[in-house]
Amino acid sequence: MIFPKNAMVYRLNRNVTFDLEKLETQLKEFSFTPCLDLDKSKFGWTPALGEQSELFIHSGAGCAMIVAKKEVKDIPSQVIKSALDERVKALEELRGGPLKKGEKDDLKDDVMQALLPRAFSKFTLTPVFIDMDNHFIVVDCSSFSAAEQALALLRKTIGSLPVVPAIPERAIESTLTEWVKHGELESGFSILEDIKLVSVLADGGTATFKRQDVGSDEVKSCIDADKMVSELRLDWQERIEFTLSEKGTIKKLKFSDVITDQNDDIPMEDQFARLDADFHLVCGELRAFLKDLYVGLGGLPEGDAPQAMEDEQFDSLIPEAKKHIVETQRASISNLQRHFKIGYNRAARIVEALEELGVVSSESHNGLRSVLITAEETE
């Protein structure tokens, strides 16, 4: 459980001091409790080291780990449909006519309530690493939506949590594309064999290569055809392999045997000592890895406030941004970053403004937006 499989990385956008003693009490107040018969789901904090300790925080060397636990009742859709069809049929025969849609919806709710006590539960643990010295929060999950659930719980627990995703100032896809195109990476990083490319044009399609030389003619031809690297498998110092996406997600973390076997000399019966040693090891590796990664990607924006020059130009750029997004049919922050050579914060605010204007949709569950107007309507 200590070695994370994914890393959704956030940074605190102002100095926050964590009082670990106070936080321990706050976490206990929002501790996980199992679902009762009619509960659909429950979400709360659980002891950081599981059965090895009753403490909700495990800390050391300027880092802390907390763990969120979620239980969701799982009722197969086919089971719901079968039970609902049976009830609808019985009522329609009793009435001698079909039920209205609203009546069927109410009946479905009744069916769900009746099935919940017999439903199977799925449990998910989400470790959250807090680097108090470097102001990073790393959530071990595979999407920002799942990470936001854990952060929302933490925000509810402590009252406020001023964090933003750790997104470099320069568009990630531009940096990854240059790495692949020229084969020149920052020191310590190397390209592995998995890559995904996405066209800058709306109908340009995507290309995914697995276990193929990234320097091959097939990959180069995709880049020459105006495709950008949206996902790339990388290695850091032969210690950590990972997949980096244009959105900043770090997935499929694989720590080398040199790291995972480092504490094998600790006796198996002393589980607490082993977990504690692994925790300190992981925190140290993540610190060094993330520092090198964000330096290699061009650095993170300084502070949360935009530069004054950008404020002066912000309104004037919206019409051009609207036109570009409609032409490319790509309503993404990175699209604006790359095209207008602007920072992440400014591009994000422009997209939010375009959402308010009805040009683009709000984010869907997978983080994507749709363009809502045509080229003719931009005029």
Side-chain angles (χ1 to χ4, degrees), residues 27 34 47 74 89 91 116 142 181 231 264 286 294 313 361:
L27 293 171
D74 180 37
K89 181 180 178 181
L91 277 176
L116 276 174
S142 59
K181 188 174 182 179
E231 282 188 4
D264 280 354
L286 282 178
Y294 291 124
Q313 298 176 346
S361 69

Side-chain angles (χ1 to χ4, degrees), residues 50-257:
E51 297 179 355
Q52 301 304 316
S53 173
E54 295 182 354
L55 296 176
F56 284 73
I57 303 173
H58 190 74
S59 62
C63 286
M65 183 181 74
I66 57 179
V67 179
K69 184 175 183 178
K70 187 173 186 178
E71 178 185 2
V72 177
K73 294 282 189 70
D74 180 37
I75 307 175
S77 58
Q78 188 58 42
V79 173
I80 298 173
K81 183 179 183 303
S82 177
L84 179 60
D85 289 346
E86 186 177 326
R87 289 203 184 188
V88 169
K89 181 180 178 181
L91 277 176
E92 287 181 341
E93 288 179 352
L94 183 63
R95 289 187 181 185
L99 298 181
K100 296 179 181 179
K101 182 182 183 302
E103 293 175 315
K104 289 183 179 180
D105 290 341
D106 291 340
L107 201 57
K108 184 176 181 180
D109 290 338
D110 293 340
V111 168
M112 291 284 291
Q113 291 296 314
L115 291 174
L116 276 174
R118 293 179 285 159
F120 290 103
S121 289
K122 288 186 176 180
F123 296 91
T124 304
L125 295 177
T126 304
V128 179
F129 295 86
I130 304 173
D131 184 344
M132 295 172 287
D133 290 342
N134 296 300
H135 310 293
F136 279 122
I137 292 182
V138 179
V139 186
D140 182 5
C141 58
S142 59
S143 69
F144 278 119
S145 60
E148 287 293 346
Q149 291 182 22
L151 293 179
L153 178 61
L154 182 55
R155 190 174 293 112
K156 180 180 179 181
T157 302
I158 64 179
S160 66
L161 187 67
V163 296
V164 293
I167 305 295
E169 188 74 26
R170 188 167 186 263
I172 294 176
E173 60 185 43
S174 297
T175 302
L176 295 182
T177 302
E178 288 187 4
W179 285 359
V180 172
K181 188 174 182 179
H182 301 294
E184 298 177 359
L185 283 73
E186 291 296 319
S187 177
F189 291 93
S190 59
I191 297 175
L192 301 179
E193 297 180 330
D194 293 355
I195 184 174
K196 181 179 179 181
L197 303 103
V198 178
S199 175
V200 297
L201 303 175
D203 56 353
T206 64
T208 302
F209 298 90
K210 298 285 187 182
R211 298 182 181 178
Q212 181 164 335
D213 179 14
V214 174
S216 66
D217 292 339
E218 290 88 348
V219 174
K220 290 181 179 178
S221 65
C222 287
I223 295 177
D224 292 339
D226 293 326
K227 284 186 171 63
M228 304 289 289
V229 178
S230 63
E231 282 188 4
L232 187 62
R233 187 74 177 164
L234 295 160
D235 175 90
W236 175 69
Q237 296 186 0
E238 297 184 352
R239 298 178 72 80
I240 298 177
E241 294 181 8
F242 63 102
T243 298
L244 178 65
S245 81
E246 62 176 335
K247 295 180 181 179
T249 61
I250 302 171
K251 299 182 181 180
K252 299 179 181 177
L253 282 169
K254 181 181 179 183
F255 291 79
S256 70
D257 292 343

